[in-house]
Amino acid sequence: LVCGVSMSRLRAYIALGSNLGRRAANIRAAVRQLSREFELEATASLYETAPAYVDDQPPFLNTVAAVRASCSPRELLATLKRIEVEVGRLPSARWGPRAIDLDLVLYGDLQHSDASSGDAAPSLPLELPHPRMGERRFVLEPLAEIDPAARHPRSGATAAAMLAALPPEDAAPLQRVCPLGSDDDEGLVRWGRRTLLMGVLNVTPDSFSDGGRFDSAAAATAHALELEAAGADI
């Protein structure tokens, strides 16, 4: 492992996002890499979100993962940045489109700010907790899903409380999605829409379950109407 054993094992929360290429596949690949580097404890649902800060770009898929790690915060951050490159992230403008984004949100109750440390500016800036976590529904909603009691080490506020405290203009819940059958965006099922029910009508005589029962036009029509009455859509 890149992370050593210099610290006791702490729980870290990592926010993942993607809005380029096969978004769900990018996040799946990043989670797989996280599970190889650390002990993966939980992942939230996928949420489709409008872009933040820079509007002129595609929508994101976002989630949060919880892992156990035993390395320094900067080592953990370096591992996340390496995973981004391995998944396919290329240099881009700040808050612009990217194949994958991994943000270290919380790491136990550790606090750190390069700006207040007095040290020379590092090549890999580190702020703990993440300075913008409290304003980001796309972080707080998946975080509260897997651990509503996760606490901000400075304010003491829980993830659930921070989510509830977002301003009214950010009150609309995110669209939860689930890849169905593939990681392509065309296979994303959006939660909250009515589930379609399929009724099967076999008209061939060699069907295993009901062969020969509906092989006449009248019988097939009657059975199709029964399926419709029972709530079938297809």
Side-chain angles (χ1 to χ4, degrees), residues 2 5 19 24 27-28 42 77 94 97-98 117 122 133 136 145 149 151 161 169 180 218 230:
V2 170
V5 291
N19 75 334
I27 289 179
R28 185 187 299 275
L77 183 61
R94 188 184 191 193
R98 53 255 195 217
S117 67
M133 66 172 292
R136 294 178 169 181
E145 178 190 331
R151 289 190 177 275
E169 57 268 25
L180 185 63

Side-chain angles (χ1 to χ4, degrees), residues 152-214:
H152 192 289
R154 288 199 181 97
S155 69
T158 65
M162 287 187 284
L163 179 61
L166 288 174
E169 57 268 25
D170 295 327
L174 306 181
Q175 175 65 66
R176 190 181 299 187
V177 299
C178 179
L180 185 63
S182 74
D183 285 327
D184 292 328
D185 282 1
E186 291 77 6
L188 288 178
V189 175
R190 287 160 174 80
W191 289 35
R193 298 182 179 179
R194 188 174 66 84
T195 301
L196 298 179
L197 302 178
M198 182 175 68
V200 177
L201 173 61
N202 291 314
V203 296
T204 56
D206 58 348
S207 174
F208 288 108
S209 60
D210 53 8
R213 292 179 57 195
F214 310 115

Side-chain angles (χ1 to χ4, degrees), residues 28-151:
R28 185 187 299 275
V31 170
R32 186 180 299 114
Q33 289 292 87
L34 288 173
S35 70
R36 292 170 178 165
E37 299 287 348
F38 314 107
E39 179 186 350
L40 181 65
E41 292 193 327
T43 55
S45 303
L46 282 176
Y47 294 85
E48 189 166 48
T49 68
Y53 311 116
V54 176
D55 295 335
D56 187 19
Q57 57 179 318
F60 279 81
L61 289 186
N62 291 101
T63 191
V64 166
V67 304
R68 288 277 176 183
S70 57
C71 55
S72 73
R74 206 174 299 278
E75 286 177 316
L76 175 52
L77 183 61
T79 302
L80 300 185
K81 296 307 169 186
R82 174 172 57 79
I83 291 174
E84 287 181 346
V85 173
E86 291 171 351
V87 173
R89 179 164 181 170
L90 300 174
S92 61
R94 188 184 191 193
W95 296 328
R98 53 255 195 217
I100 192 67
D101 189 30
L102 300 178
D103 283 339
L104 179 56
V105 179
L106 296 170
Y107 192 18
D109 59 359
L110 298 180
Q111 301 180 44
H112 179 85
S113 174
D114 285 337
S116 61
S117 67
D119 298 332
S123 59
L124 191 61
L126 174 67
E127 300 286 331
L128 269 177
H130 194 287
R132 285 172 294 281
M133 66 172 292
E135 68 189 45
R136 294 178 169 181
R137 176 172 286 274
F138 61 85
V139 171
L140 292 176
E141 192 156 332
L143 175 58
E145 178 190 331
I146 59 174
D147 190 356
R151 289 190 177 275

Side-chain angles (χ1 to χ4, degrees), residues 201 216-226:
L201 173 61
S216 71
T221 301
H223 188 58
L225 293 173
E226 289 176 4

